[in-house]
Amino acid sequence: MTQHKFTMDLTWSEGRNGIGNLMAHNLQTKISIPREMNGPGIGTNPDEMLLGAAATCYVITFATLLENSAIAVVDLSLQSEGFVNVINGSFTYEKIVHKPRIVVEELSERLERRITRLAQKAEQTCMISKALKGNVAIEYTIQLIKANL
């Protein structure tokens, strides 16, 4: 078994509406509660970071599956949305929706089915999706486009 360790250092000033600093190997940013949740809205926040972890894991996994399946992708992009509800004064991360946009050289019904299966497999095998399973719903909608070459 190989284990990978990731570390993060944080500093925080003041109480709920304070501002912090997050430092990791390839990430340095300010953090605070977002304006939408009555915070100062400076830097990033846990909601964006969770969405970012889920989105980056999904797109990397999806790109790997497409490459391993020898599907000629001209362009791959992703927009992701996170939905947080307030229930009885408590914030709950309800769901994440990934919206991959895939541009391919040729597009057939068979290829469309293959890419759709790979999009589903990416959601099922991404380690962040697996970590969130049972707590946060994860959905995806695919936009497939034939390139104008």
Side-chain angles (χ1 to χ4, degrees):
M1 177 176 106
T2 302
Q3 184 178 49
H4 303 278
K5 178 181 174 183
F6 299 93
T7 60
M8 186 174 287
D9 296 312
L10 296 117
T11 60
W12 189 260
S13 65
E14 301 177 26
R16 180 194 186 277
N17 286 326
I19 299 166
N21 289 297
L22 179 152
M23 293 138 305
H25 180 68
N26 288 306
L27 176 64
Q28 289 87 36
T29 188
K30 293 201 175 298
I31 56 172
S32 73
I33 294 175
R35 276 189 171 62
E36 297 85 352
M37 296 175 179
N38 298 318
I42 296 172
T44 192
N45 57 71
D47 310 284
E48 286 180 341
M49 292 189 64
L50 181 63
L51 180 60
T56 55
C57 185
Y58 179 81
V59 78
I60 290 168
T61 303
F62 193 22
T64 301
L65 293 171
L66 290 165
E67 179 181 295
N68 291 345
S69 298
I71 295 175
V73 175
V74 175
D75 185 58
L76 172 61
S77 59
L78 179 68
Q79 179 189 50
S80 294
E81 300 171 326
F83 296 88
V84 176
N85 284 332
V86 181
I87 302 169
N88 298 326
S90 179
F91 294 101
T92 302
Y93 218 114
E94 182 181 284
K95 74 176 174 178
I96 293 172
V97 178
H98 296 305
K99 298 177 180 179
R101 181 181 180 276
I102 304 104
V103 180
V104 292
E105 291 178 7
E106 295 297 323
L107 186 57
S108 65
E109 284 184 30
R110 181 176 178 269
L111 183 58
E112 190 171 337
R113 283 191 304 272
R114 280 182 68 205
I115 291 172
T116 300
R117 280 193 307 272
L118 293 174
Q120 180 180 18
K121 186 175 181 180
E123 187 274 319
Q124 293 169 342
T125 59
C126 156
M127 73 174 179
I128 302 299
S129 295
K130 290 191 296 187
L132 295 174
K133 191 174 183 115
N135 293 307
V136 178
I138 300 179
E139 303 170 4
Y140 60 91
T141 56
I142 302 168
Q143 181 183 9
L144 272 170
I145 300 167
K146 182 181 180 209
N148 294 325
L149 300 177

